[in-house]
Amino acid sequence: QVQLQESGPGLVKPSQTLSLTCTVSGGSISSGNYYWSWIRQPAGKGLEWIGRIYTSGSTNYNPSLKSRVTISRDTSNNQFSLKLNSVTAADTAVYYCARTYCSGASCWDLDYWGQGTLVTVSS
Amino acid sequence: QSALTQPRSVSGSPGQSVTISCTGTSSDVGGYDFVSWYQQYPGKAPKIMIYDVSTRPSGVPDRFSGSKSGNTASLTISGLQADDEADYYCCSYAGSHTLIFGGGTKLTVL
C-alpha cells in the first residue's frame, strides 16, 4: 500500500520561497507508470492542482502558477518536492501530494493522497 | 483556465438519490473522458470515488456512479447514507497537460 507524507515549514514570510517535500513509501517514485502531483486548498475553498512530475523526471505545471513553481525529485530518498517562490498571503493553504497511476491514455486521476500540511504565509 | 462549475450545496434524505453536476467547456469536460470525482470530509484528504467519467475504484460502493453529457459531468449517489455527507469535487483534464478542479459541492444528508 503506497503512502505519501508531506513535510516542511508551516510558516513562510511574504516574498520568500515555500518549500515542501513528499516522502513516498510502498512504491518507487522513479519506476513504473506514475505521476506525482502537488495540490493545494485554501481554508474553506476548493482544490487547485499545482503540477506534477513523472517517473522519468518530466514535469507539467498549472499555467497560472508556472512562473513561480518548480517540482523536482530525490530518487535516493524516494521523495519529490515543491518550491513556490515569491509567495503572498494568497498562497496560504493546505498543500497535498498525490499519486496518479497511468493506464493507457488514462493518466489524470489522483488515487493516493497524503494527509496534507498547512502552510501559512505571514510576516 | 476557470474552475469547473458545481452547485455549492445539495441535500437529500437517507435512502434517496442525489446528483451533483460539474459543468465545464469543450476544452475540458466536454473534450476528454478524463473526469474524476473526489469525496472530502472536513480536515481530511480527498478520496477518489470515480475516474474516467464512470469507473469506480475497488472498494467504492456501487451506490456511486458517474456520467457525462456534453460539457457536463455528473455524480449520482443512490441510497443516500449519513456518512455520504461530505464535500465532493469534480476534476477534469483540461488539455496541454493540465488538470482543473470544480469549486466543490457540500452534500447534506437530512
Side-chain angles (χ1 to χ4, degrees), chain A residues 104-120:
Chain A
S106 175
C107 210
W108 290 99
D109 52 277
L110 301 153
D111 58 357
Y112 286 94
W113 294 64
Q115 65 185 29
T117 188
L118 174 63
V119 178
T120 302

Side-chain angles (χ1 to χ4, degrees), chain B residues 86-109:
Chain B
D87 293 327
Y88 292 84
Y89 292 90
C90 64
C91 183
S92 173
Y93 178 60
S96 300
H97 304 288
T98 61
L99 200 59
I100 188 169
F101 282 94
T105 298
K106 180 176 179 57
L107 169 62
T108 300
V109 180

Side-chain angles (χ1 to χ4, degrees), chain B residues 8-82:
Chain B
R8 291 191 66 96
S9 64
V10 297
S11 62
S13 298
Q16 289 187 332
S17 293
V18 295
T19 296
I20 300 171
S21 62
C22 170
T23 301
T25 69
S26 58
S27 297
D28 38 63
V29 174
Y32 309 94
D33 288 334
F34 300 133
V35 176
S36 50
W37 289 90
Y38 300 87
Q39 177 190 63
Q40 186 181 36
Y41 293 114
K44 299 296 186 182
K47 172 190 174 185
I48 189 166
M49 304 302 284
I50 296 286
Y51 66 95
D52 294 351
V53 175
S54 60
T55 303
R56 271 188 317 276
S58 61
V60 173
D62 60 6
R63 301 185 298 104
F64 291 83
S65 63
S67 63
K68 190 183 84 166
S69 177
N71 296 336
T72 298
S74 299
L75 173 70
T76 298
I77 309 170
S78 59
L80 209 55
Q81 299 179 359

